[in-house]
Amino acid sequence: MSKLNASKVSLSSITSEALWRQSGRFTGDNPEFKTDTRKMFRLGGPERTGYLLGPTHEEEITNLVAGTISSYKDLPLRLYQISRKYRNELRPRGGLLRTREFLMKDLYTFDVSTEDAMKTYDEVKAAYIAFFDELKVPYLVAEADSGAMGGNLSHEFHFATPAGEDNVWSCDSCSYVANEELVERRIDSNEINLTLQQSVSWLGVTQDKKACVLVLVPNTDIHDGTAVDVTKLNSNSLKRALPEIDLSATTNTSSIFDTLNNDAETNNNPSKTTLHILVDSRISALRDGVEPLLATITQSFRSRNLVADFSKLRLNLITTDSTTNKPLILNNPEPGNGCPRCPTGTLKVQRCVELGHTFHLGTRYSAPLKALVEVPTQGGSPTSTTATTSSPAATTAPPTPSAHRIPVSMGCHGLGISRLIGALASVLSTPSGLAWPRVLAPYEIAIVPSNPNLLSAAEELLDDLSTSAFSFEERKSGSLDVVLDDRLDRQLGYKLKDADLIGYPVVLVVGRGWKEGSVEVQCRRLGVKEEVLRGEVRGRVRELLGRL
C-alpha cells in the first residue's frame, strides 16, 4: 500500500442504513445492484435502529471523502484499511474460507477522470499481482462480473483448491481466464444461423410475476426433448440480459397462466402483459420474418397446455447481453469448448477460492453520495492530475464562476486476509502439518538440536545464520528469520513433529553429523532432506527459501 501512496484509515464497524439507501444498494431499486438484506447484521431487533454491522464500506468511505475534498487538485486520493467485516452468511463453511466475521484489507481510490482511474486500476492490479507472486503459490487472475458492487471492470484473484466454491475457466493455450459469470466460448461455424426449428425452449416469469419469459437455445446443446431444464441454462447470462428474471425454482405453469390473464378483466389494468423473448445468438430468430417466431411461441405454450393470445402480449425480443453488448450465448459452457480468444485453445474448469477482487466503480457511488470536485470549465475538464500525495490538500481555492462540479471516479480493491490464511492452509498443508510460504511463515528457519548436549552447537549455528555474520551482499538481500527450539524436556521426534505442524519452511537438525561438520537440512514442501556442510548451510538455505 505504501508503494501506491495509500494512507491508512480506520472506519467504524457500524454503518448507517441511510447511506445504503442513498446509494441504492439497500432497497434494491435497481435489480443490477440488489443487495440481499438477509446477509446483513441489522441492529436493534424487530424495532430496528437504522444501523448495521458493515459488510463492506463503499458508502462510508465515499461519504467521508465527499465531506473532505472539493477540488480536482485534491486528487488522486488513495485510502485503505484493515478491518473486520460482518456478513450473515447462511452457510458458513471451510473454517476461515467463509465466515460471518472476517478480516479484510480494502483499498479505495478516487480520481478526477476515468482516464486517471484506469491508470490507478492498472497500478493496483500490478501491486496485487506482485503480492501473489511473492507467495510463490500458483494463482489465477480471472475476468469477473462486478455484480452488486457496480462498475464495469473487475478482476478476481484465486487459488485452485477442491475446497473452493467458485468455478474458474481458463484456456490451455493462451492467457484467457474468466470466472463462471463472464466465461465465453468460441462459436464454431456449424453453430451459426440456426433456424427456430433447431431450438428448444424454457418458459418462466419475472420475479414480480407480472411478465413472462421465453428462452430459446439450440437443441444441439440439449439432448432430452423439446423443453429445457433451467439448470441447463447459463443463469449468469440470463440475469445480465434480464436482471428481473426468476430462476429460483422450477417454472410453475399455473403462475404463467395467471400472468397471461393479468389483463383489464382481472386487475383493471389496460396494459398488455410483456413476454420477454431471450434468443441465443446462434439462432436467427427473425431470419424468415416474425411469423415463424410467433409459431414457435405458440408451440412452446401448447406443450405446457397454455394458449398464446398475442392480443394480450407485448413482445420484447432480447438478443444481446446488456452488460457486455455481445450476442447472447445462453447454454452453460463445458470443458473442451473452444477458447474465445485464440483459434486453437480449449477451456478447462477448476474449483477455486477467491482471495482478492479489484473493481473499477466509476461514479457508481460518488454520484448518489455527492462526492464531487470542482474542475475548470474553460479549456475543458482536466483529464489527468499530477498530485502524488495520498491525503487531501489542507486548503483549496474557493469556487469560481469558471468551474463546475463533477463526481469523482472511484475504484475499490479488496483482499481477504483471514480467507488467505485459510486458503493457504488448504492448498499447502499435508497430513504432517502446515507448509507456509516464506513471506507468511512465523519463522523462515527452525534449528532443532537432536539432544540437550548439542544445544551449544545449535546456538553456534544460529550465530552463523545471523545477519552480523553475513557479507555485505548477503545483508542487502535481507536477514534470515531463525528460531531455535531449545526445549530440554522434549525428544527430537516430538520437536520435529511440532516443526512440521507449525509449518516452518526450512528445518535444520543439529545431530550426529555436527562432529564431521555437517547439518541436516529439511524442506518438506520441496521434498529436501540432505546433509550439508556447515560452511555451505547459509547458501543452501537461501537457495531453498528463494523457491518458497
Side-chain angles (χ1 to χ4, degrees):
M1 292 298 99
S2 60
K3 291 183 179 179
L4 292 170
N5 292 321
S7 296
K8 189 174 183 179
V9 297
S10 180
L11 299 174
S12 172
S13 294
I14 298 178
T15 184
S16 167
E17 289 182 5
L19 287 177
W20 283 66
R21 294 183 190 278
Q22 190 175 343
S23 71
R25 280 209 293 181
F26 188 86
T27 59
D29 292 335
N30 185 342
E32 182 181 357
F33 304 123
K34 185 174 182 179
T35 301
D36 189 351
T37 55
R38 294 177 301 171
K39 291 187 177 181
M40 295 180 176
F41 284 108
R42 301 173 68 187
L43 304 182
E47 296 179 358
R48 303 299 181 199
T49 63
Y51 293 93
L52 52 91
L53 293 178
T56 183
H57 282 88
E58 284 73 28
E59 284 80 2
E60 285 287 340
I61 194 72
T62 308
N63 185 58
L64 174 66
V65 169
T68 306
I69 62 174
S70 60
S71 168
Y72 74 93
K73 296 179 181 179
D74 296 331
L75 303 176
L77 179 62
R78 298 171 182 180
L79 304 172
Y80 80 97
Q81 67 168 349
I82 298 175
S83 66
R84 297 183 186 278
K85 301 287 191 292
Y86 302 88
R87 296 177 189 173
N88 188 20
E89 294 288 351
L90 301 180
R91 291 177 295 276
R93 59 175 294 276
L96 294 174
L97 294 183
R98 182 168 294 279
T99 61
R100 291 190 170 106
E101 178 185 8
F102 54 94
L103 198 63
M104 191 173 190
K105 190 282 304 175
D106 39 334
L107 166 69
Y108 301 97
T109 63
F110 303 84
D111 290 277
V112 71
S113 66
T114 300
E115 178 186 358
D116 281 358
M118 294 309 301
K119 291 178 182 178
T120 297
Y121 184 92
D122 290 340
E123 290 175 10
V124 175
K125 182 183 172 186
Y128 273 40
I129 289 174
F131 169 79
F132 280 95
D133 284 344
E134 201 168 351
L135 295 176
K136 292 184 171 60
V137 176
Y139 66 96
L140 297 168
V141 183
E143 299 174 11
D145 181 51
S146 297
M149 290 293 292
N152 54 12
L153 173 65
S154 70
H155 288 84
E156 293 173 347
F157 294 77
H158 292 266
F159 282 165
T161 168
E165 295 180 310
D166 299 323
N167 290 322
V168 176
W169 297 75
S170 58
C171 176
D172 60 7
S173 295
C174 71
S175 59
Y176 176 70
V177 183
N179 70 4
E180 60 185 342
E181 285 86 6
L182 281 190
V183 63
E184 302 173 355
R185 70 179 184 87
R186 186 171 62 245
I187 303 302
D188 297 328
S189 57
N190 60 350
E191 297 182 86
I192 300 174
N193 207 27
L194 301 177
T195 66
L196 287 165
Q197 287 69 35
Q198 296 173 286
S199 69
V200 291
S201 64
W202 175 82
L203 187 62
V205 294
T206 54
Q207 295 173 7
D208 60 7
K209 304 297 187 290
K210 293 182 179 179
C212 292
V213 181
L214 179 68
V215 178
L216 298 175
V217 295
N219 58 16
T220 54
D221 298 331
I222 311 298
H223 307 287
D224 55 0
T226 59
V228 55
D229 191 304
V230 68
T231 60
K232 304 280 184 75
L233 300 174
N234 189 322
S235 61
N236 299 299
S237 294
L238 290 171
K239 289 177 181 178
R240 286 198 306 270
L242 189 65
E244 60 268 30
I245 191 172
D246 184 4
L247 298 173
S248 60
T250 303
T251 302
N252 188 319
T253 303
S254 63
S255 69
I256 298 174
F257 184 80
D258 291 341
T259 299
L260 289 174
N261 287 281
N262 183 19
D263 54 17
E265 295 181 5
T266 57
N267 282 336
N268 297 317
N269 183 0
S271 62
K272 294 182 178 180
T273 296
T274 299
L275 174 63
H276 301 287
I277 308 169
L278 281 70
V279 183
D280 191 292
S281 63
R282 292 166 290 175
I283 301 171
S284 299
L286 300 177
R287 181 179 63 179
D288 300 319
V290 72
E291 292 302 324
L293 178 60
L294 297 179
T296 299
I297 298 172
T298 300
Q299 179 184 359
S300 177
F301 278 34
R302 283 177 177 171
S303 67
R304 297 163 177 82
N305 298 318
L306 299 173
V307 177
D309 186 349
F310 295 110
S311 66
K312 297 180 180 180
L313 296 178
R314 181 191 298 107
L315 303 184
N316 177 30
L317 187 63
I318 302 174
T319 58
T320 58
D321 188 316
S322 60
T323 301
T324 64
N325 291 321
K326 294 181 178 180
L328 289 178
I329 300 294
L330 298 177
N331 68 303
N332 283 320
E334 296 180 359
N337 285 159
C339 172
R341 301 286 173 84
C342 70
T344 58
T346 57
L347 297 178
K348 63 179 181 179
V349 64
Q350 302 176 77
R351 296 290 286 179
C352 294
V353 57
E354 179 189 342
L355 302 168
H357 207 147
T358 57
F359 296 90
H360 168 61
L361 300 174
T363 60
R364 164 68 183 88
Y365 297 91
S366 57
L369 294 170
K370 309 300 182 186
L372 311 175
V373 293
E374 285 191 353
V375 296
T377 300
Q378 295 178 352
S381 301
T383 57
S384 63
T385 57
T386 58
T388 58
T389 180
S390 60
S391 60
T395 60
T396 55
T400 64
S402 60
H404 67 284
R405 297 170 67 79
I406 62 171
V408 298
S409 189
M410 291 178 55
C412 94
H413 315 272
L415 182 66
I417 296 176
S418 52
R419 177 178 283 192
L420 176 65
I421 300 299
L424 285 169
S426 173
V427 171
L428 297 179
S429 64
T430 69
S432 301
L434 299 168
W436 295 114
R438 175 188 184 182
V439 293
L440 291 183
Y443 291 93
E444 296 173 320
I445 306 166
I447 300 177
V448 182
S450 62
N451 63 69
N453 296 327
L454 289 171
L455 180 58
S456 60
E459 291 172 343
E460 288 182 37
L461 181 60
L462 178 64
D463 291 338
D464 287 348
L465 298 177
S466 66
T467 305
S468 59
F470 289 179
S471 67
F472 175 73
E473 289 75 16
E474 289 175 318
R475 287 198 297 272
K476 286 196 302 182
S477 62
S479 62
L480 293 174
D481 196 9
V482 190
V483 65
L484 171 62
D485 190 340
D486 56 1
R487 291 178 291 177
L488 301 178
D489 59 340
R490 297 297 182 185
Q491 298 296 317
L492 175 62
Y494 187 97
K495 291 192 281 189
L496 288 177
K497 286 185 177 179
D498 265 3
D500 284 346
L501 188 64
I502 294 171
Y504 299 119
V506 175
V507 176
L508 304 180
V509 180
V510 180
R512 288 174 295 182
W514 183 258
K515 291 182 179 180
E516 286 75 36
S518 67
V519 176
E520 184 179 287
V521 178
Q522 298 182 12
C523 180
R524 181 161 47 93
R525 186 173 163 193
L526 298 178
V528 173
K529 186 176 182 180
E530 60 191 20
E531 290 286 332
V532 178
L533 294 176
R534 177 178 174 181
E536 299 175 359
V537 168
R538 194 165 62 226
R540 179 57 172 155
V541 165
R542 282 198 174 277
E543 178 188 347
L544 293 174
L545 290 176
R547 297 160 60 187
L548 299 174

